């Protein structure tokens, strides 16, 4: 399960700026502990949260119960549990850390952060599938590392007809995962020789009315 970190905080700031009014239909994809889902629910939004991890689903349900907030929490892969539904706001904090390719792909705890050779294992799927789940005038807020190609994200979302831009940036020190694969990232040219911080970005994409 993915505990709230800098990317969660950055996405929470973007959510605060959007300020969804009561009754807004919100989908939180990759909810982890449910921190963002709970923040939206406190505003009176109608929130559905999804995560592929059983532990994350249990934790999010417990946190919603402790907070006495009505959040619908489902287990599944990205948008599969909500197929056929549409939302006014989609929040997404998917795995986005580039990782050396393996035959089996991410497993165990690494499912929360590893995202394939270019970090876009799930990002491309979100860019492809999220637009169809947005109501007219709806908004997607998506956070990921600059190592995973924000330009590509913007390109795909704009090609899908959304208005998209980077609305938040933050530089943070390397965490344990990036420190463990610094050499690999430098060999691939994703990190400069002296670079010792990671840039996070939040992308806001809007469906035309």
């Amino acid at each position: 399960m993915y505990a709230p970190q800098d990317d969660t905080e950055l996405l929470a700031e973007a959510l605060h700026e959007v300020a969804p009014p009561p009754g807004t239909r919100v989908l939180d994809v990759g909810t982890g502990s449910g921190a963002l889902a709970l923040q939206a629910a406190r505003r009176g939004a109608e929130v559905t949260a999804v995560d592929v991890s059983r532990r994350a689903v249990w934790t999010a349900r417990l946190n919603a119960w402790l907070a006495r907030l009505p959040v619908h929490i489902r287990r599944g892969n990205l948008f599969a549990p909500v197929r056929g539904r549409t939302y006014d706001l989609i929040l997404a904090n998917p795995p986005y850390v580039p990782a050396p390719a393996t035959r089996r792909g991410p497993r165990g705890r690494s499912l929360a952060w590893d995202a394939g050779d270019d970090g876009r294992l799930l990002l491309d799927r979100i860019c492809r599938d999220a637009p169809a789940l947005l109501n007219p005038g709806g908004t997607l807020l998506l956070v990921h590392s600059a190592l995973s190609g924000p330009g590509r994200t913007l390109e795909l979302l704009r090609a899908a007809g959304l208005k998209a831009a980077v609305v938040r940036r933050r530089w943070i020190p390397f965490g344990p995962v990036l420190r463990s694969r610094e050499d690999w990232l430098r060999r691939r040219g994703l990190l400069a020789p002296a670079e010792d911080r990671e840039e996070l970005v939040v992308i806001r994409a809007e469906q035309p009315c």
Side-chain angles (χ1 to χ4, degrees), residues 62-194:
L62 175 60
N63 287 336
W65 179 77
L66 291 172
R68 298 183 180 180
L69 290 170
V71 178
H72 304 284
I73 302 165
R74 302 183 177 189
R75 180 174 177 264
N77 193 327
L78 286 183
F79 304 114
V82 295
R83 189 175 289 115
R85 293 177 170 83
T86 57
Y87 298 88
D88 304 309
L89 175 61
I90 297 176
L91 307 170
N93 185 1
Y96 53 70
V97 178
T102 64
R103 184 177 300 176
R104 293 185 175 182
R107 298 175 64 85
R109 293 183 63 200
S110 68
L111 280 168
W113 53 78
D114 281 356
D117 189 61
D118 59 0
R120 300 198 59 87
L121 186 65
L122 297 183
L123 285 170
D124 286 343
R125 290 174 57 191
I126 291 171
C127 293
R128 180 192 68 204
D129 296 339
L133 275 71
L134 285 173
N135 290 324
T139 299
L140 167 68
L141 293 176
L142 170 63
V143 63
H144 67 81
S145 173
L147 297 174
S148 308
R152 175 64 175 165
T153 300
L154 293 171
E155 176 185 337
L156 291 173
L157 292 172
R158 290 167 180 166
L162 276 60
K163 178 183 178 182
V166 174
V167 294
R168 283 279 191 284
R169 296 180 183 271
R170 180 170 299 167
W171 288 90
I172 62 170
F174 288 164
V177 174
L178 280 188
R179 285 199 301 270
S180 72
R181 60 188 63 159
E182 271 188 71
D183 291 343
W184 178 78
L185 290 167
R186 296 189 199 283
R187 287 197 302 272
R188 290 206 60 226
L190 294 174
L191 285 177

Side-chain angles (χ1 to χ4, degrees), residues 30-49:
T31 193
S33 65
L36 292 165
L38 296 184
Q39 180 172 324
R42 289 187 183 98
R43 294 178 171 272
E46 180 185 325
V47 184
T48 299

